[in-house]
Amino acid sequence: MKLLIVGAGAMSEALVQGWVASGFAREDITMTNRSGGIRLTEVAARHGVQTVEQEDVSLYDLVMLGMQPDGVLDYVANQQWTNQTIVSIAAHITPYEIEQLAKRPTVAAMPNTPVAHRLGMTGLWFGSRVNEEIRSVVEALFGRVGEIAEANESTMPAFMAAAGCSPAFFYEVVAGMVPVLTDAGFEEGNARRIVAQAMKGSAEILMRSDASTDRLIADVAAPGGPTDRGVQVLRERHLFDTMQAALRESSREADE
Ligand SMILES: NC(=O)c1ccc[n+]([C@@H]2O[C@H](COP(=O)([O-])OP(=O)(O)OC[C@H]3O[C@@H](n4cnc5c(N)ncnc54)[C@H](OP(=O)(O)O)[C@@H]3O)[C@@H](O)[C@H]2O)c1
């Protein structure tokens, strides 16, 4: 499958890194951006993929739109589409808007940056022109770099906040915890490693266990013990309200 990636930003690069690591043939991946230049050349060189400055979308089987949302529809309207499948990763652009312009099957995908390490979480919202075969191709493409979940018009905003935006929330949580370790004498990088590994291990348990989160907390927190007292602090300071407000804010379109 010949893949064109339009946009050489952080998210496109994370996907290319993950796809190459998954065994996707480098010679079948081509990247382009608006300005050409050093960023495009550097990203492509880092991952050994091809670049093109003036792309012809008709030469590819699948075209992934990885530019900022405000450029997507103009770009789509100005291309000569033939037999391509289109995947847009732009927030708040629906597959139907693209299908209307391109008359090609479109999937709105919402990946997150952990796709770089094949630990991504990608939401897939299938347009009305997508058949079973195309659906399987796109599911397999994003399945190479992590987990996938189907989303739709109603669920995509919450999905985007919970998976696309949440890495930044988790980094914020880590940044909040690290000073306690550095104050105790750990060097910063080591402190970050300690917290990140605890987070990664907890995520693994969450993925593998059917137990409720209350049950998992009880497994760690003996009543009145140090964990229990820490959890009480989180509750007294309204962590749930804070997390839910952050997710709701991130799910909201900026101009709402
Ligand atoms: N970052 C994330 O975690 C994340 C997660 C999920 C989805 N997304 C979505 O991914 C998209 C890209 O995000 P990003 O963080 O990677 O952005 P970014 O770092 O700003 O990169 C945007 C890229 O798109 C290129 N571009 C812009 N307009 C173009 C056009 N008309 N034709 C060709 N290339 C064009 C830019 O090239 P020039 O420099 O040449 O303009 C740049 O390489 C956004 O739509 C965002 O909603 C991002």
Side-chain angles (χ1 to χ4, degrees):
M1 180 170 69
K2 297 271 180 213
L3 174 60
L4 174 68
I5 297 177
V6 185
M11 196 62 235
S12 295
E13 180 167 14
L15 282 164
V16 168
Q17 185 178 335
W19 281 327
V20 167
S22 77
F24 198 115
R26 288 180 160 90
E27 55 276 19
D28 289 340
I29 300 179
T30 302
M31 298 185 83
T32 189
N33 67 354
R34 187 167 37 188
S35 54
I38 196 139
R39 164 81 193 163
L40 177 64
T41 322
E42 278 180 3
V43 172
R46 260 199 294 280
H47 304 290
V49 300
Q50 322 304 308
T51 62
V52 61
E53 285 203 14
Q54 281 302 318
E55 70 277 23
D56 172 356
V57 295
S58 72
L59 299 177
Y60 302 90
D61 303 304
L62 193 147
V63 176
M64 192 197 87
L65 306 175
M67 69 278 272
Q68 290 298 350
D70 59 2
V72 169
L73 296 180
D74 277 351
Y75 181 89
V76 170
N78 287 314
Q79 304 306 312
Q80 301 300 317
W81 301 101
T82 53
N83 289 314
Q84 293 65 49
T85 295
I86 302 174
V87 173
S88 158
I89 61 167
H92 304 300
I93 302 284
T94 77
Y96 312 126
E97 289 171 286
I98 295 174
E99 286 187 342
Q100 207 168 21
L101 292 169
K103 314 282 181 234
R104 294 302 310 155
T106 301
V107 182
M110 186 49 56
N112 60 8
T113 48
V115 292
H117 305 289
R118 306 184 65 203
L119 290 169
M121 182 68 241
T122 303
L124 297 174
W125 173 8
F126 300 100
S128 51
R129 291 175 175 257
V130 175
N131 62 23
E132 280 307 310
E133 189 189 340
I134 291 172
R135 188 188 172 102
S136 302
V137 168
V138 175
E139 284 177 347
L141 183 65
F142 285 92
R144 283 172 168 270
V145 291
E147 300 275 330
I148 55 170
E150 183 167 354
N152 57 36
E153 185 148 22
S154 314
T155 57
M156 191 52 118
F159 177 90
M160 188 186 76
C165 306
S166 67
F169 303 166
F170 299 137
Y171 304 146
E172 180 78 359
V173 168
V174 171
M177 291 171 73
V178 159
V180 179
L181 282 102
T182 50
D183 287 353
F186 284 106
E187 175 272 320
E188 179 141 3
N190 205 17
R192 179 168 135 167
R193 184 179 67 89
I194 292 164
V195 178
Q197 179 65 13
M199 199 178 235
K200 187 174 168 184
S202 312
E204 199 60 38
I205 287 180
L206 282 164
M207 294 293 282
R208 289 171 189 248
S209 169
D210 292 332
S212 68
T213 48
D214 277 345
R215 176 70 252 160
L216 293 174
I217 290 170
D219 287 347
V220 188
T227 310
D228 190 40
R229 298 199 313 273
V231 169
Q232 290 318 316
V233 172
L234 295 176
R235 290 181 176 168
E236 280 157 18
R237 298 193 185 193
H238 308 294
L239 179 73
F240 274 23
D241 280 358
T242 306
M243 294 310 295
Q244 287 175 18
L247 279 170
R248 288 189 206 287
E249 182 59 33
S250 291
S251 359
R252 195 171 70 79
E253 275 198 63
D255 58 356
E256 268 175 25

